[in-house]
Amino acid sequence: MGLRRKFVLGAVLIVTGLALSAGGCALQRLPNVPKEITGPAASPPILAAFQSDPKIQTQEDWQNRRAPLLKARFQSEIYGAMPAAVGYEIVSREVLQRPEKGAIGTIERISIALKTTQPGPWTGGRPIVDLILMTPKGKGPFPVIAGGTFCGNNVLLPKQPGMRTTTMALPQECGGGVPGFLVTAIFGLHANAPPWETLAEKGYALASWHPGDVVPDVPVVAEPYLEALTPVGTPPDQRTGAIAAWAWTNSRMVDVLSPDPRLDPNRIVIWGHSRHGKAALLSAAFDPRPAAIWALQSGTAGAALGRDDVGEPVSDITTSFPHWFAPAYRAYAGKPADLDVDQHQLIALLAPRPVLIGTGRRDQWGDPHGSFRALQGADPVYQLYGAPAFSQIKLRQPDSQGVLAFYMRPGLHGIHTEDWEEALSFFDRTVPTPASNAPNSRLKP
Ligand code: GCU
């Protein structure tokens, strides 16, 4: 390497180091959220009369009357219309790694064309998602942990040859170089790369994809893709938002994973961090197939209650990320209490399936308190299904028995080894292998 190049490289490293420590120190100074639970109880009370629907008394009341009403409300006021499920077509399958010579298992890329009711600006007119599927060695059918991740697939499994990035627009932080390096340094080792080896050792398959293959996560750029996914005849202020489009993508991936004989269709877990945690919750609210859900730091329009405007306010989220939502959601900026639904009702739509909500002590923006109160608010619906009550009383002392579960780890917004440890012990308990099914078998609707 020439002297000049060495000099430039050295300078870049020094500047990056300084930026990193300045950023890191500034972030570390963010205060912990209070240890004791604060804030009002979730409202409206989940079983109370809602609009013209009388009080809920049974599972049937919930399923047949209240759930459809709430789903309609979440679409019209927050997320926009869910795209129609028209089907998919496998375009290609390539094995990137075979389970030999110390490899963790088989790694494949399955390219899937998602059918849509109308053509859109994607190359070829419809979205193509590259699903990366790792199946461990050994005999399945394996439970599978499935979810969309923040950047392109090329950063999913850093040492794996043959991975490729998306051709769609990426958020600025995913551009590689210094911003990409900072993402991992600040947001954790697993910000972009799940712990594949650990999952393989424990007998879990992993399915990952880049939601930006369907709708790029960039305001304005996203609009024509959203228009194309919006069901024909939808009022303009309810056009599909990106969170709904990514939730729909989750369900299309479940379509692909369910018939795969190596995987157990009854043990598909959907997970997501932050914006993809919002999508994970929404997808399971509209799709009964996921066996369990893990939403990490999903915050506003995710697990956190929104009507109190604690954490990220509706005015901020709809200004920074207008493409995530139905335009109608903007009307609640500065007056979120005018909205007649809240996120405990979204969580309750997942009942009786296990839900794990992860938070960080310094992640004020993600509102750990509001997420905890949302679980408390959803709990009466779980109890209608005979689930044990959500009995956790301290934010930092998780209840290791619950179907609804909450944890708060030290630190900021990001995905760390501790998060995966929490999640895996939750899945081991709530989505058990058939052999260990008896004592912990999950509740059936
Ligand atoms: C921003 C946004 C959050 C979101 C987060 C993420 O911070 O304001 O709502 O959850 O990005 O996706 O990481």
Side-chain angles (χ1 to χ4, degrees):
M1 190 189 291
L3 200 57
R4 197 184 146 143
R5 254 189 103 188
K6 271 190 189 155
F7 177 76
V8 171
L9 187 66
V12 166
L13 285 175
I14 290 169
V15 170
T16 308
L18 288 175
L20 199 60
S21 45
C25 291
L27 291 170
Q28 286 310 326
R29 276 210 299 276
L30 287 175
N32 281 325
V33 300
K35 268 192 198 165
E36 303 306 326
I37 294 144
T38 58
S43 73
I46 197 119
L47 303 179
F50 178 76
Q51 296 181 348
S52 59
D53 189 34
K55 192 173 181 318
I56 297 298
Q57 281 165 338
T58 64
Q59 279 176 35
E60 290 69 33
D61 292 350
W62 174 259
Q63 257 164 8
N64 303 335
R65 294 199 335 246
R66 184 62 56 86
L69 198 60
L70 292 175
K71 285 184 193 171
R73 214 62 201 136
F74 278 113
Q75 289 180 91
S76 67
E77 305 310 298
I78 302 182
Y79 302 103
M82 288 298 276
V86 195
Y88 68 90
E89 201 179 298
I90 306 273
V91 178
S92 65
R93 283 178 186 270
E94 298 156 76
V95 176
L96 303 180
Q97 177 186 278
R98 298 193 180 278
E100 54 204 22
K101 285 188 267 155
I104 56 172
T106 304
I107 296 177
E108 285 168 72
R109 171 170 42 230
I110 309 174
S111 293
I112 304 145
L114 301 185
K115 295 189 180 164
T116 53
T117 41
Q118 39 188 343
W122 304 275
T123 310
R126 53 191 185 172
I128 308 272
V129 178
D130 274 349
L131 170 72
I132 304 295
L133 177 64
M134 179 277 292
T135 41
K137 290 180 192 169
K139 197 167 169 308
F142 301 105
V144 53
I145 301 176
T149 53
F150 191 69
C151 293
N153 284 343
N154 58 320
V155 285
L156 264 185
L157 195 55
K159 292 187 200 134
Q160 177 59 45
M163 302 291 272
R164 65 184 176 214
T165 189
T166 176
T167 52
M168 303 274 270
L170 283 168
Q172 200 189 1
E173 306 88 305
C174 295
V178 174
F181 176 62
L182 284 174
V183 165
T184 314
I186 296 176
F187 297 111
L189 187 61
H190 297 299
N192 285 316
W196 300 72
E197 285 84 359
T198 310
L199 298 178
E201 275 161 22
K202 289 187 69 99
Y204 286 96
L206 182 75
S208 265
W209 58 89
H210 180 52
D213 284 347
V214 177
V215 175
D217 192 8
V218 184
V220 184
V221 175
E223 288 300 329
Y225 299 88
L226 296 170
E227 295 294 340
L229 288 167
T230 302
V232 177
T234 302
D237 70 342
Q238 296 174 23
R239 75 101 181 80
T240 303
I243 305 280
W246 298 331
W248 172 81
T249 309
N250 289 351
S251 288
R252 302 295 67 78
M253 297 302 109
V254 175
D255 294 347
V256 175
L257 297 169
S258 298
D260 190 316
R262 298 163 300 175
L263 307 175
D264 184 343
N266 296 316
R267 290 186 293 155
I268 300 176
V269 171
I270 294 285
W271 83 283
H273 176 241
S274 210
R275 64 200 69 186
H276 301 305
K278 304 180 207 294
L281 292 169
L282 184 64
S283 60
F286 281 77
D287 186 341
R289 296 170 298 171
I293 296 88
W294 172 33
L296 171 58
Q297 297 179 311
S298 56
T300 296
L305 295 174
R307 296 176 81 208
D308 58 8
D309 235 8
V310 172
E312 181 177 15
V314 176
S315 52
D316 284 47
I317 204 167
T318 53
T319 303
S320 309
F321 307 100
H323 59 301
W324 286 1
F325 303 105
Y329 191 36
R330 268 178 238 156
Y332 299 101
K335 40 183 179 170
D338 285 2
L339 189 53
D340 59 1
V341 286
D342 208 347
Q343 301 308 108
H344 60 304
Q345 292 163 306
L346 186 76
I347 295 173
L349 290 170
L350 277 46
R353 291 166 289 168
V355 177
L356 176 64
I357 299 299
T359 63
R361 283 187 203 168
R362 293 178 198 272
D363 183 21
Q364 303 255 11
W365 195 240
D367 190 12
H369 286 256
S371 309
F372 189 90
R373 286 182 284 109
L375 288 175
Q376 289 178 320
D379 184 49
V381 173
Y382 272 74
Q383 290 190 45
L384 283 181
Y385 287 87
F390 177 67
S391 56
Q392 185 173 336
I393 42 172
K394 295 212 174 272
L395 289 166
R396 297 191 187 178
Q397 283 172 17
D399 163 15
S400 54
Q401 303 303 314
V403 176
L404 288 176
F406 175 95
Y407 71 88
M408 187 161 78
R409 57 145 171 80
L412 299 156
H413 201 69
I415 318 180
H416 299 272
T417 305
E418 289 147 281
D419 290 304
W420 276 99
E421 284 169 0
E422 289 281 355
L424 287 175
S425 70
F426 180 73
F427 303 147
D428 286 349
R429 174 166 71 79
T430 58
V431 193
T433 54
S436 60
N437 223 355
N440 288 321
S441 67
R442 71 185 179 87
L443 295 157
K444 294 274 183 266

